[in-house]
Each structure stands twice: as C-alpha cells, then as structure tokens.
Amino acid sequence: MSKLTVTLSDDLHAQIRQELEAQGITTGQFIEMVVTKYFTKSKEGENNMATRTIAFQVSEELYQRIKEYLNRYQEVYGRKLTQREFMLQLIEDALSEAEEEFEAATAAEEEPPEAEEGPDSEPDIEDADESDAPEDDSGESPDEESGNGESYAPYTIEE
C-alpha cells in the first residue's frame, strides 16, 4: 500500500468532509473511490459521453426498503453503496437480462417450426379419452383406484 498526501483549499476540504459524512466512509475510501472512478471512466470513454438525468418518485415504503438495503450492504461489505450506484446497477442488470430475452426470442422465431402431427398419426396416450377405452364383458366400470382406465375381472381364491 502507498500513501498519498495532497494540499487542498479549505473550501474543497470542507466539501470532501461533508461528502464523507453523508456517505459514511473514510477519507481513504473516498479518495480510492474517486481515483478508481476517474481511471475507469477514462478507459471506458465515459468522459466523452453526454449524461442525462432520470428522476422518478417512489413510495415511502420502497424508499425505506432501499435505505435499509444500502445500510445492510455497508455493514456486510464495509463500504457504502450510494443510491446512484445501486439504481444504476439495477438498471444495467435489468437491461442485460432483457437483451438476453430479446435475443432468445429472436432466435426462437428464426428456428423452423416443429413437425406437426398428420391425420394418420396416432394420438398420445395422454390425449386418449376414457370413453374410447374398450368395455369388458362384466359390465363393470373401470377400476377407479388405479386411475388408468383399465378394467379388471373379479378374482376369487377358493380353498
């Protein structure tokens, strides 16, 4: 690990202190986050991308659930996850999942349809109606306990 010392104006230092307090992180965590974000953006070309704001309202219940999740996240992982990071990750994950579903649906449309049954093909056993089952000579109804629609003749053993 390396140390880094910087000299900042009092105003900028006060802004950083406010941010640290708001996020509940240390100065080291903050500086690491900012520097990592800086290098990640420059690699991804985000510095040249225009950004847009999406704003929406949620119920108080949902808002509290999000806050509780973010607090648990910090307890478990030892770093604060901002609302912005959380929401962006949710949106990215949902879009990735939707794109995969779109690709799967498009691929399914391009596959040839399965061969349909012709008029002389035999019906599946599951499709056979019990009324089609042959009746036995005894006139008894099919065995209801077996549930398979087959008839059985009475069976007696004499001693």
Side-chain angles (χ1 to χ4, degrees):
M1 300 289 272
S2 299
K3 284 191 171 192
L4 178 66
T5 304
V6 297
T7 304
L8 303 171
S9 69
D10 291 338
D11 291 341
L12 184 56
H13 189 253
Q15 285 180 319
I16 292 172
R17 285 279 175 218
Q18 286 177 342
E19 188 64 24
L20 295 176
E21 190 175 310
Q23 290 193 26
I25 59 176
T26 67
T27 304
Q29 290 171 324
F30 177 77
I31 299 299
E32 182 179 353
M33 179 180 67
V34 170
V35 170
T36 301
K37 191 178 236 181
Y38 172 81
F39 284 113
T40 303
K41 279 186 175 182
S42 63
K43 287 180 183 175
E44 295 175 358
E46 288 185 29
N47 288 335
N48 298 327
M49 292 177 50
T51 58
R52 303 293 297 238
T53 299
I54 296 177
F56 54 93
Q57 294 180 337
V58 297
S59 69
E60 180 65 26
E61 179 185 354
L62 180 57
Y63 181 78
Q64 291 305 321
R65 286 179 61 198
I66 292 168
K67 286 297 205 182
E68 289 171 13
Y69 172 81
L70 295 174
N71 289 334
R72 283 194 312 258
Y73 184 94
Q74 185 174 357
E75 290 173 8
V76 171
Y77 296 106
R79 110 169 173 73
K80 184 165 183 160
L81 180 66
T82 66
Q83 287 181 29
R84 180 182 183 278
E85 291 172 322
F86 177 63
M87 298 307 290
L88 287 175
Q89 189 61 53
L90 289 176
I91 293 168
E92 290 286 339
D93 292 347
L95 287 173
S96 294
E97 185 177 322
E99 288 167 353
E100 289 174 7
E101 290 175 6
F102 291 151
E103 289 174 11
T106 302
E109 288 177 359
E110 293 174 358
E111 289 179 10
E114 293 183 23
E116 295 184 20
E117 292 184 14
D120 58 338
S121 65
E122 297 199 16
D124 290 338
I125 293 175
E126 295 173 4
D127 294 338
D129 187 18
E130 286 186 16
S131 62
D132 296 340
E135 293 184 24
D136 63 1
D137 294 343
S138 68
E140 295 181 15
S141 63
D143 184 351
E144 291 180 12
E145 282 189 8
S146 69
N148 61 10
E150 295 179 7
S151 299
Y152 296 97
Y155 180 107
T156 308
I157 299 177
E158 293 183 21
E159 293 184 23

